[in-house]
Amino acid sequence: MSPLKVVTPDGTFTTGPDTTERLLTPGEVARIFGVDPKTVNRWALTGRIPSVRTPSRQRRYRESDIRTLLNGG
Amino acid sequence: MSPLKVVTPDGTFTTGPDTTERLLTPGEVARIFGVDPKTVNRWALTGRIPSVRTPSRQRRYRESDIRTLLNGG
DNA sequence: TCCAATTGGGGTAATTAGGGGA
DNA sequence: ACTGTCCTAATTACCCCAATTG
């Protein structure tokens, strides 16, 4: 699978969101930072981590966002 | 940058942050060394112990780093 | 459908960061 | 130089139960 491409009005191409990137569950992110999964969700609620929502309102986190935070975000 | 791993829900590993090792809280490290958590905090500030920061700026400590120090690191 | 594990949301007790001073 | 204690504000852990996941 490859990243999405978008055709602009002038005919050029631009890359879209990379849908191949793995999404991490709250539990996985929690183990990475050594905190409770509920804490990870609180980070999402307070805007400290961008989150993706499943159709049933559960949260998933982009690996690149987590990596950025680990590097001092 | 060091190779990192992520534990997926089905137990497999994939490229990402290393979660194979447990992170210890300041209180846990303090009990190990028999000191006040505040002292552990200062060890991190003065660079005596490497620390991982949560998005909320709390500190967590890698078990391997603690073991190294216990062995005279 | 059943089942075990995870997640979300609410509420409360415990822990942590940071500054200051002994 | 190093540590323990006091203080407040912020953050987190643990409890419940219902819903979702795989």
Side-chain angles (χ1 to χ4, degrees), chain A residues 3-4 8 13 35 37-38 40 42 51 53-55 59 61 64 71 73:
Chain A
L4 295 178
T8 58
F13 287 88
V35 297
K38 294 296 187 68
V40 179
R42 197 177 313 106
S51 64
R53 291 280 207 156
T54 68
R59 296 182 183 82
Y61 304 91
S64 60
N71 294 342

Side-chain angles (χ1 to χ4, degrees), chain B residues 25-67:
Chain B
T25 65
E28 290 173 320
V29 177
R31 284 189 288 272
I32 291 176
F33 285 102
V35 297
D36 192 272
K38 194 78 173 189
T39 296
V40 179
N41 186 338
R42 279 189 288 253
W43 288 343
L45 288 172
T46 56
R48 297 177 186 275
I49 309 185
S51 65
V52 179
R53 291 282 220 161
T54 70
S56 301
R57 302 197 52 77
Q58 289 198 357
R59 297 182 183 84
R60 295 287 117 95
Y61 304 90
R62 297 199 175 282
E63 201 175 16
S64 63
D65 291 331
I66 303 306
R67 278 200 303 267

Side-chain angles (χ1 to χ4, degrees), chain A residues 1-72:
Chain A
M1 204 179 222
S2 59
L4 295 178
K5 289 178 182 174
V6 175
V7 183
T8 58
D10 61 2
T12 59
F13 287 88
T14 181
T15 55
D18 184 357
T19 56
T20 68
E21 184 178 28
R22 231 179 75 69
L23 293 178
L24 307 180
T25 65
E28 291 173 316
V29 178
R31 285 190 292 272
I32 291 173
F33 285 104
V35 297
D36 191 272
K38 294 296 187 68
T39 297
V40 179
N41 286 355
R42 197 177 313 106
W43 290 341
L45 289 171
T46 55
R48 287 196 161 94
I49 308 186
S51 64
V52 178
R53 291 280 207 156
T54 68
S56 54
R57 306 298 295 166
Q58 289 198 354
R59 296 182 183 82
R60 296 288 119 92
Y61 304 91
R62 293 198 177 282
E63 194 176 359
S64 60
D65 290 331
I66 303 306
R67 190 183 297 277
T68 298
L69 288 170
L70 282 173
N71 294 342

